[in-house]
Amino acid sequence: MKGIILAGGSGTRLYPLTKSTSKQLLAIYDKPMVYYPLSVLMLAQIREILVISTPDSLPALRNLLSDGSHLGLDITYAEQTEPRGIADALLIGADHIDGGPSALILGDNLYHGAGFSRILRASRERLDGCVLFGYPVSDPERYGIGETDDRGNLVSIEEKPLRPRSDNAITGLYFYDSDAVEIARGLAPSARGELEITDVNRHYLKQGRASMFRLGRGFTWLDAGTHDSMLAAGQYVQVIEQRQGVRVACLEEIALRLGYIDADACHRLGEGMKNSEYGRYLMQIAQSLG
């Protein structure tokens, strides 16, 4: 399975913060926003990852993440010159996907919860069509909503419904089989001229090949696309890290625990940031797991 992070868009909801920098480079507490979706793909044991962003933002993202080899990953980059919808990422990434299954995640989404890596791997293994990830929200009219029946089967998908049939928001993480690119190619643009990911998901639903895993109690999902949600995400990460003494979305630690890098490599990465708490944490983790 190949991974795609869609880190494009102009970030106008975050102006003036994003007038001179990419939204995905803004801080969510102690690390750049893009670390959080990248960590999800790593937890799903996906190592070949395409980062899609605007031409202006790509140099800074490359400078931050490089080719991913320091994490045992293979990270490449592609341009989205203007917002054309989430499903456009499947077309931009067609060569990267190369006819196989893919995981698409939005660059401003944060996920955290016990056992998440197990859920991601199980979703990969049972993939037959698409797997969506739902999360209960108090204001479902603001989201794409997935309705399930009494047995948990996905029966409908509505985009920002006036009268929601469910409180399950469809989050910005999507697992697709090898048909996703051809489905996206067959879509008609919306009134806004964009290729809607909801249309891709509905196509799978009509075929009876769409399922949704509900991320319920014990999980957190945050869309850090506004000032308020960015602040909430940062405060959440701060509380977790200070109370539990662990780092959320620590890419180097994930790479070490998955065996992508060894303890010596992790320690060297920490030494390069030894004046920060993050760097010192990496050195401690390397020593404890070495």
Side-chain angles (χ1 to χ4, degrees), residues 135-145 160-162 164 166-169 221:
Y135 188 81
V137 295
S138 60
D139 49 354
E141 65 279 356
R142 294 182 53 239
Y143 300 91
I145 296 298
K160 297 180 180 178
L162 293 176
S166 166
D167 65 352
N168 286 321
W221 167 65

Side-chain angles (χ1 to χ4, degrees), residues 10-19 21-24 26 28 33 108 224-231:
S10 55
T12 54
R13 290 188 298 168
L14 290 171
Y15 271 14
L17 287 175
T18 50
K19 290 198 72 172
T21 190
S22 167
K23 174 174 66 174
Q24 282 75 28
L26 298 178
I28 302 296
M33 185 185 297
D108 58 2
T226 67
H227 296 101
D228 287 344
S229 60
M230 273 189 61
L231 180 61

Side-chain angles (χ1 to χ4, degrees), residues 208-220:
R209 297 197 300 130
S211 62
M212 183 169 68
F213 188 95
R214 180 181 170 100
L215 300 171
R217 182 173 296 179
F219 280 87
T220 295

Side-chain angles (χ1 to χ4, degrees), residues 110-190:
L110 181 154
Y111 298 80
H112 184 252
F116 193 32
S117 58
R118 174 182 50 79
I119 292 168
L120 293 170
R121 291 195 296 270
S123 297
R124 280 189 60 176
E125 292 170 0
R126 73 165 190 255
L127 181 63
D128 178 20
C130 80
V131 176
L132 310 176
F133 296 85
Y135 188 81
V137 295
S138 60
D139 49 354
E141 65 279 356
R142 294 182 53 239
Y143 300 91
I145 296 298
E147 179 193 7
T148 56
D149 62 19
D150 293 339
R151 294 178 295 175
N153 299 315
L154 189 62
V155 296
S156 75
I157 298 173
E158 299 179 285
E159 187 64 29
K160 297 180 180 178
L162 293 176
R163 296 179 178 83
R165 301 176 183 175
S166 166
D167 65 352
N168 286 321
I170 297 173
T171 69
L173 174 63
Y174 317 89
F175 282 9
Y176 294 118
D177 69 4
S178 58
D179 294 336
V181 171
E182 287 306 311
I183 292 171
R185 283 184 177 138
L187 296 180
S190 67

Side-chain angles (χ1 to χ4, degrees), residues 207-254:
Q207 295 179 339
R209 297 197 300 130
S211 62
M212 183 169 68
F213 188 95
R214 180 181 170 100
L215 300 171
R217 182 173 296 179
F219 280 87
T220 295
W221 167 65
L222 294 167
D223 174 352
T226 67
H227 296 101
D228 287 344
S229 60
M230 273 189 61
L231 180 61
Q235 291 172 333
Y236 173 81
V237 173
Q238 179 188 32
V239 169
I240 293 295
E241 293 190 354
Q242 291 186 354
R243 289 188 178 178
Q244 299 184 2
V246 299
R247 298 273 162 172
V248 178
C250 181
L251 305 182
E252 297 85 355
E253 180 180 2
I254 295 171

Side-chain angles (χ1 to χ4, degrees), residues 43-98:
L43 290 172
Q45 297 186 353
I46 297 170
R47 302 180 71 171
E48 295 177 71
I49 297 166
L50 176 69
V51 177
I52 299 175
S53 192
T54 64
D56 290 342
S57 297
L58 280 178
L61 286 165
R62 281 196 184 98
N63 186 54
L64 175 68
L65 301 173
S66 188
D67 63 359
S69 58
H70 62 293
L71 299 170
L73 306 177
D74 178 8
I75 299 177
T76 53
Y77 302 86
E79 294 182 358
Q80 187 183 52
T81 55
E82 60 185 23
R84 292 189 296 268
I86 297 172
D88 183 53
L90 295 170
L91 303 185
I92 295 172
D95 290 342
H96 170 71
I97 294 170
D98 193 26

